[in-house]
Amino acid sequence: MLYSDTRDSSRQVSFRTAVMEGMSHKTGGLYMPVTIPQLSKSLVYRNPVPSFRDIAFETAKLYIEDEIPEGDLMEIIVDAYPFAAPVAPIDRTTYVLELFHGPTCAFKDFGARFMARVMAFFNRDENDPLHILVATSGDTGSAVGSAFHGVPGIDVTILYPTGRISPLQEKQLSTFDENVRALAVSGSFDDCQKLVKTAFTDESLREKLRLSSANSINISRLLPQSFYYIHGALLVHQRSWHDNKIDQPSLIVTVPSGNFGNLTSGLLAKKMGAPIRGFIAATNSNHTIPDWLSSGQYEARPSVATLSNAMDVGAPSNYERIAAMYTVEEARRIMAGYWLDDDGTMEAIRSCYDRTGYIIDPHGAVGWKAWTDTRDGAMSRLLAGFSVPEGMPGLSGGRDIAPEWAADCSAKKCIGMILETAHPAKFGDTVKKAIGREPSIPERLEKVLALPDRSVKMDADYTAFREWLLETL
């Protein structure tokens, strides 16, 4: 399997090179598989549904081929996933894919743990250390730090926007030691991401340091996230008839999105043959992608702070991958865009709890609201010619650009799978304000609260960042 540069398709590299480089240092582009492999029918139609690890192994083999022997790959899968992603039905046509059962209670654990073990495998014969640079808007950094902590031959530097993540998220980021360090950057996530991307294209720096990325810009973090889309979709289809008696339902996956790596993984899963009809790209007031779907024009912008901070991204890196896979016209046929402001997010946490008893985090709440609005009339109104006024939250677009599955939803033939990307305890204050009670906190999160802060303060200045890297690493 070869991987091409999104900015120069003639540049094609091996899986190992794509993983260890992180992104193309020649162009600043991202790596994508040249061809999308297909899942075997025996896997998709197996009854009962294969285990999460089996799906992970069979899917990973297609992308890695002979670059990692099958025995070593199975060891990587087993070690990476002592947990899975269960599906929780919360009403007759709605399922929540719970992605918070890993060590840092966020969906980033699925990609980070696989990536760490793959990188360690490829790095084992190297003499010089590999330096991972990662920008985070919330959960990525802690998942990457946890996944790489104590891994020999690899150092990790996490950049996060100070004051723009929840207190518990900051505790998870700022308390690492040994080979993992955290920089508290005065600025936004976009500032952090710009520092990382600039470092990757700094040839003189790369001559001194072996650099790679652990953001979703790294293909080895993106690909394993497709595992839970495939597994979740198969689980939902297996039980759907018993829940709602809908014959051949259209499964719509609602993805709370910031840097849009998670949604890109879902698009890959669909292309591979996962039984997914379409997607709702759900986000907060940083609605760059819904606006692109609506207008056809991509316009990056400065990010704004919201209650769903992991989605506070104004210039999502993975737009580049989505645009490499689809034209805007093709993307519109598959996905709908939706955005929600903070008031709507608080109301969504309340309404989900009141209607179903399920406690959802602010990111999943955006997904809940997007799905329930879509199935409860918003898509029908869109098809009838009524669109959301410009600048107002809701389902983006108009009748002429509605997705190909829109009529299915109007006919009540859709079922929904919402991605719950983080445990609600990571946003306990927000959840308590919404529903009047705090969510229970897992023991693995509670232990973090007693650890000391070891983060380093940093301005959003590349010269200062570069000097710090050279002095420290």
Side-chain angles (χ1 to χ4, degrees), residues 57 64-75 121 124:
F57 176 69
I64 295 171
E65 295 183 334
D66 60 353
E67 292 194 55
I68 299 177
E70 287 193 6
D72 292 309
L73 180 59
M74 180 56 82
E75 287 183 11
F121 177 86
R124 58 188 178 180

Side-chain angles (χ1 to χ4, degrees), residues 85-375:
V87 166
I90 60 173
D91 67 31
R92 290 178 58 253
T93 59
T94 306
Y95 304 84
V96 174
L97 184 63
E98 294 186 338
L99 302 176
F100 54 73
H101 293 279
T104 71
C105 299
F107 81 97
K108 309 293 177 72
D109 286 323
F110 287 90
R113 289 176 64 84
F114 179 84
M115 174 181 58
R117 285 147 183 80
V118 166
M119 282 188 167
F121 177 86
F122 286 143
N123 198 57
R124 58 188 178 180
D125 296 327
E126 297 287 345
N127 295 321
D128 297 326
L130 180 67
H131 300 288
I132 305 293
L133 305 181
V134 56
T136 183
S137 56
D139 293 321
T140 294
S142 57
V144 169
S146 171
F148 281 96
H149 190 244
V151 174
I154 300 180
D155 287 319
V156 176
T157 300
I158 304 165
L159 293 79
Y160 70 91
T162 184
R164 294 201 178 195
I165 61 178
S166 77
L168 201 156
Q169 283 179 312
E170 183 159 16
K171 266 292 187 181
Q172 285 187 292
L173 292 170
S174 65
T175 53
F176 286 112
D177 56 9
E178 299 178 5
N179 65 320
V180 180
R181 305 165 186 84
L183 299 181
V185 177
S186 298
S188 67
F189 167 76
D190 296 321
D191 293 321
C192 298
Q193 185 162 254
K194 184 177 180 181
L195 291 175
V196 170
K197 286 188 172 183
T198 304
F200 279 123
T201 55
D202 185 337
E203 292 294 343
S204 63
L205 180 66
R206 295 186 72 100
E207 289 175 0
K208 298 177 176 66
L209 301 173
R210 291 178 61 223
L211 299 179
S212 189
S213 167
N215 284 85
S216 56
I217 59 178
N218 192 305
I219 194 68
S220 67
R221 239 224 35 216
L222 195 76
L223 293 177
Q225 292 176 181
S226 68
F227 304 162
Y228 53 70
Y229 280 95
I230 298 166
H231 190 237
L234 293 177
L235 287 175
V236 167
H237 275 288
Q238 182 187 59
R239 65 166 296 156
S240 174
W241 172 256
H242 301 286
D243 296 328
N244 49 61
K245 301 299 186 289
I246 299 173
D247 188 34
Q248 296 183 325
S250 294
L251 175 60
I252 309 304
V253 181
T254 305
V255 188
S257 302
N259 214 18
F260 281 80
N262 204 358
L263 180 59
T264 305
S265 300
L267 294 171
L268 286 172
K270 176 176 169 57
K271 275 183 170 288
M272 292 181 72
I276 297 170
R277 182 81 162 102
F279 298 87
I280 303 174
T283 190
N284 55 28
S285 295
N286 298 280
H287 41 88
T288 304
I289 295 298
D291 288 353
W292 169 64
L293 290 169
S294 181
S295 70
Q297 300 297 316
Y298 175 79
E299 296 182 10
R301 63 201 68 172
S303 61
V304 297
T306 74
L307 294 175
S308 49
N309 61 274
M311 302 193 295
D312 292 351
V313 183
S317 291
N318 285 285
Y319 162 75
E320 195 161 323
R321 283 193 171 109
I322 295 173
M325 296 168 70
Y326 301 103
T327 65
V328 67
E329 291 79 15
E330 291 169 337
R332 286 168 174 166
R333 290 199 287 271
I334 296 168
M335 69 180 88
Y338 185 99
W339 72 275
L340 196 63
D341 58 19
D342 278 354
D343 288 342
T345 300
M346 291 293 284
E347 177 54 35
I349 297 172
R350 277 192 293 269
S351 69
C352 183
Y353 184 64
D354 290 344
R355 290 174 61 174
T356 71
Y358 192 86
I359 300 177
I360 204 162
D361 92 295
H363 305 78
V366 174
W368 156 261
K369 181 66 170 170
W371 162 243
T372 53
D373 278 4
T374 298
R375 69 167 178 179

